[in-house]
Amino acid sequence: MRFHINGDIREADVDIRTSLLDLLREHLALPGTKKGCNQGACGACTVLVDGNRINSCLALAVQYEEREITTIEGIGTVDQLDALQAMFVEHDGFQCGYCTPGQICSAIAMAAEAQRGLPSFVTPDLAAQAIRLDHDELRERMSGNLCRCGAYNGIIDAIRATFVEEVA
Amino acid sequence: MESFTFARAADAREAIALASSRSETRYLGGGTNLVDLMRETIERPRTLIDVTGLANEIAVRGDGAVVIGAAVTNTALAEHRHIRTLYPVLSRAILAGASAQIRNMATVGGNLLQRTRCYYFYDNEAAACNKRAPGSGCDARDGFNRIHAILGASPACVATHPSDMCVALSALDAIVHVDGPNGPRTIPMTDFHRLPEDRPDIETMLETGELITAIELPAAAIARRSTYRKVRDRASYAFALVSVAAAIDVQDGVVADVRLALGGVAHKPWRAHQVERLLVGQPATHAAFRVAAEAELADAVPLRDNAFKIELARRTIAATLADLVP
Ligand SMILES: Cc1cc2nc3c(=O)[nH]c(=O)nc-3n(C[C@H](O)[C@H](O)[C@H](O)COP(=O)(O)OP(=O)(O)OC[C@H]3O[C@@H](n4cnc5c(N)ncnc54)[C@H](O)[C@@H]3O)c2cc1C
Ligand code: SF4
Ligand code: FES
Ligand code: FES
């Protein structure tokens, strides 16, 4: 199977049952994406496919051949943090850090969704052209990512500082 | 998970031909339910036929009806401008379900066929379940059944249908387009899912090998004023205890037309015909909504842990309608 990951083309000869998450972690040496529940319920395994966030644990790898996959390894490096990663550091957006790669990937796609006008369940007027990312919107839109340490306030502050203040 | 062979279909005919030429096949949408069930070995298909490459379009027909391809993702459907403005109940119902990550993967076809979240159904190792193993019994009936059905259940099964999207589709009188070995046909959404009776393992009217190709939304001016309300144990990312999809048309303070369906209460999305019949011609007041809601729940049967759902459903019906009336 052939995959496009973080700008590289990667080949892997894996069992048809392999999830995208296991492919990344076990076969392609990209352990940044984390396995939490393995059932779609925690968001730790969030990666981007063609810029959209998905749970890689419920994804069969074979369905994602030839798509553009971005993992946390493709977002920033230790020497050159992405803007959102820098804000996570500044605002104490993590404790153990286990959920952080998923939170970062998720928030990047979340900002793009809001930018193109995708409403959420708490958006008052679904027909509105522009989305204001207030506290309720951010909480609802990030609810697919759980953090067992409860670093939510820092996570929300980091996302606000990166995507909301920048827009305002 | 047991092993399987994988095939990608180029079009509906090829998908159906592949399904008929092999045994124990399943069509694969986003995999958000099927992959999970395969891991638990509750589903053990020998062949998966990927249908996410088929029918990705949302088209508005000349007569105003909207035809939604079965492979359209839940996000794309909720986001579509025509749906957001003319059928807000459908957008909001979809946005009430799962998480953004899952809605990006989940397809319309897969959402219709997602299976119950009854814990005993998922407990392949230890629980008796007539839906999973016909004739084995039902551990939910006298067990932990807080999330189970209060309407239309049978002694064989008290599970609920978990979909939010399907509740809105039921209220909107959507039509399911299918194709299969015997050719194409349509099934009204309100008839698509079955009540459990003595065969809870048979959940829909689909025949073996039939593929969902599209969902049709008839033009419905009433849907402009519509919404979806979901009551659950936490504010988001949880299945419904009770949900209400409602649309209403009020003229001079009187209900001219109303559509209402309930989620979380039955083995299928529950179209509230009683509410609809009783309200047309009545004043659009909270008192009238409450009377209609009481009639709808008159035949509700509580289980050990879920009697609270009866009053919850009555209140949610009345409150949702009241919110829609200016
Ligand atoms: C953690 C979690 C929380 C969730 N919360 C909610 C919630 O709150 N509300 C809600 O409504 N849903 C919820 N869901 C369920 C989710 O919406 C469904 O899993 C999803 O809609 C299924 O779509 P899919 O495309 O991934 O289907 P798949 O998993 O690919 O398939 C499901 C079934 O449909 C069949 N199928 C797929 N496409 C077709 C077709 N075209 N024709 C015939 N058969 C087909 C498959 O064979 C399979 O039997 C949740 C899921 C998870 C994992
Ligand atoms: S309620 Fe239905 S799905 Fe749940 S255990 Fe009983 S038979 Fe199985
Ligand atoms: S590991 Fe994928 S959602 Fe939890
Ligand atoms: S920082 Fe530990 S789980 Fe979120």
Side-chain angles (χ1 to χ4, degrees), chain B residues 200-268:
Chain B
D201 54 316
I202 306 174
E203 295 173 342
T204 70
M205 300 305 284
L206 278 189
E207 310 272 348
T208 311
E210 271 187 328
L211 174 74
I212 299 170
T213 53
I215 303 291
E216 176 185 337
L217 295 181
I222 189 175
R224 227 176 239 275
R225 180 167 288 283
S226 66
T227 195
Y228 188 73
R229 186 140 166 185
K230 181 171 177 180
V231 185
R232 44 189 155 178
D233 281 329
R234 57 180 188 204
S236 65
Y237 205 11
F239 287 93
L241 290 168
V242 167
S243 67
V244 172
I248 192 164
D249 177 18
V250 176
Q251 307 283 341
D252 302 324
V254 174
V255 178
D257 197 4
V258 55
R259 307 283 172 76
L260 200 124
L262 302 173
V265 297
H267 201 251
K268 60 183 287 182

Side-chain angles (χ1 to χ4, degrees), chain B residues 152-197:
Chain B
S154 75
C157 178
V158 293
T160 56
H161 194 268
S163 169
D164 292 298
M165 186 184 89
C166 291
V167 183
L169 291 177
S170 170
L172 292 171
D173 284 312
I175 299 161
V176 186
H177 289 241
V178 307
D179 201 351
N182 300 318
R185 65 186 181 116
T186 59
I187 309 168
M189 182 66 195
T190 45
D191 297 340
F192 184 79
H193 296 97
R194 293 177 70 257
L195 287 177
E197 297 169 1

Side-chain angles (χ1 to χ4, degrees), chain A residues 122-134:
Chain A
V122 302
T123 307
D125 176 11
L126 294 182
Q129 297 282 352
I131 304 291
R132 232 187 94 243
L133 281 181
D134 61 18

Side-chain angles (χ1 to χ4, degrees), chain B residues 116 118-121 127-132 137-141 148 156-160 200 267:
Chain B
T116 184
C118 170
Y119 344 99
Y120 301 97
F121 171 75
C129 170
N130 288 324
K131 189 184 278 301
R132 183 166 33 73
C138 169
D139 276 351
R141 231 177 77 198
H148 289 73
C157 178
V158 293
T160 56
H267 201 251

Side-chain angles (χ1 to χ4, degrees), chain A residues 56-127:
Chain A
S56 59
C57 66
L58 292 181
L60 287 177
V62 63
Q63 276 195 298
Y64 293 85
E65 280 187 288
E66 308 298 337
R67 311 272 297 272
E68 290 297 333
I69 297 161
T70 307
T71 70
I72 192 70
E73 288 91 345
I75 286 172
T77 64
V78 178
D79 306 321
Q80 248 192 320
L81 292 181
D82 171 79
L84 177 60
Q85 287 170 319
M87 286 300 154
F88 262 68
V89 176
E90 191 171 321
H91 291 277
D92 281 334
F94 53 92
Q95 291 184 32
C96 75
Y98 197 80
C99 69
T100 310
Q103 300 274 9
I104 302 262
C105 288
S106 191
I108 288 172
M110 185 278 304
E113 288 163 5
Q115 189 80 46
R116 67 174 203 246
L118 175 70
S120 85
F121 184 65
V122 302
T123 307
D125 176 11
L126 294 182

